C-alpha cells in the first residue's frame, strides 16, 4: 500500500428497521441516528450534523415521521432546545439494545464476509488535491 493510499473501510453486515406501511419509504436508519444524536445533545442543528443531514432535512424527517406515526418523537421549547418524548426515547433504547444483541449474533458472519472480501477489497486512492 502506498503512503498516500488510505485503507478501505471494512465491509460490514447492516440491517434496518422496517416500520411497515406507516413510514413507507422513509429511511428509518436516518431517523434513529437523528433521534440518538438528539438524545445526547438536545440541539437539532448539532444532531442533524451528527446524523449527516441538514437542519431542514432533519426537521422535515421528524415532521413526516411524527405525522405518519401519529405520535410525537421530540418536544421543542424555545430557549431549552429539543428533547425526546418518552416514545422517541423508547425507540432509541430499543434500537440500541437490538443493535447490541444483533452485533453479537452477526459477528461470525461479519468475520466470514471480511475474509471473503479481503482479497478483492483494495485501498481507496487518495483524492487529488491542488493548492493555488
Amino acid at each position: 500500500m502506498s503512503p498516500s493510499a488510505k485503507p478501505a473501510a471494512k465491509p460490514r453486515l447492516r440491517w434496518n428497521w422496517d416500520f411497515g406501511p406507516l413510514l413507507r419509504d422513509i429511511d428509518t436508519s436516518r431517523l434513529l441516528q437523528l433521534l440518538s444524536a438528539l438524545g445526547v445533545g438536545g440541539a437539532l442543528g448539532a444532531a442533524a450534523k451528527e446524523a449527516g443531514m441538514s437542519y431542514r432535512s432533519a426537521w422535515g424527517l421528524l415532521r413526516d415521521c411524527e405525522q405518519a406515526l401519529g405520535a410525537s418523537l421530540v418536544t421543542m421549547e424555545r430557549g431549552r432546545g429539543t428533547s425526546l418524548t418518552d416514545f422517541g426515547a423508547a425507540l432509541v433504547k430499543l434500537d440500541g439494545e437490538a443493535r447490541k444483541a444483533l452485533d453479537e449474533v452477526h459477528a461470525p458472519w461479519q468475520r466470514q464476509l471480511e475474509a471473503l472480501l479481503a482479497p478483492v477489497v483494495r485501498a481507496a486512492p487518495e483524492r487529488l488535491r491542488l493548492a493555488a
Side-chain angles (χ1 to χ4, degrees), residues 40-53:
V40 173
L44 184 56
K49 186 175 182 179
E50 176 73 24
M53 64 183 83

Side-chain angles (χ1 to χ4, degrees), residues 24-55:
R24 284 177 243 127
D25 298 327
I26 292 175
D27 183 354
T28 56
S29 64
R30 293 183 73 208
L31 172 64
L32 288 160
Q33 287 174 341
L34 179 62
L35 292 176
S36 294
L38 276 169
V40 173
L44 184 56
K49 186 175 182 179
E50 176 73 24
M53 64 183 83
S54 69
Y55 179 90

Side-chain angles (χ1 to χ4, degrees), residues 26-117:
I26 292 175
D27 183 354
T28 56
S29 64
R30 293 183 73 208
L31 172 64
L32 288 160
Q33 287 174 341
L34 179 62
L35 292 176
S36 294
L38 276 169
V40 173
L44 184 56
K49 186 175 182 179
E50 176 73 24
M53 64 183 83
S54 69
Y55 179 90
R56 184 177 179 180
S57 294
W59 178 245
L61 178 63
L62 287 172
R63 183 192 64 231
D64 292 347
C65 290
E66 286 181 337
Q67 185 175 7
L69 294 169
S72 295
L73 296 167
V74 298
T75 57
M76 299 178 125
E77 294 184 46
R78 186 178 211 103
R80 298 187 113 180
T82 305
S83 59
L84 298 176
T85 62
D86 290 343
F87 179 61
L91 282 175
V92 170
K93 182 179 180 196
L94 175 67
D95 181 61
E97 291 172 354
R99 287 185 188 281
K100 183 179 178 184
L102 287 171
D103 282 348
E104 293 171 11
V105 171
H106 290 159
W109 289 285
Q110 175 69 36
R111 287 190 296 275
Q112 289 179 26
L113 177 65
E114 290 172 12
L116 178 67
L117 294 178

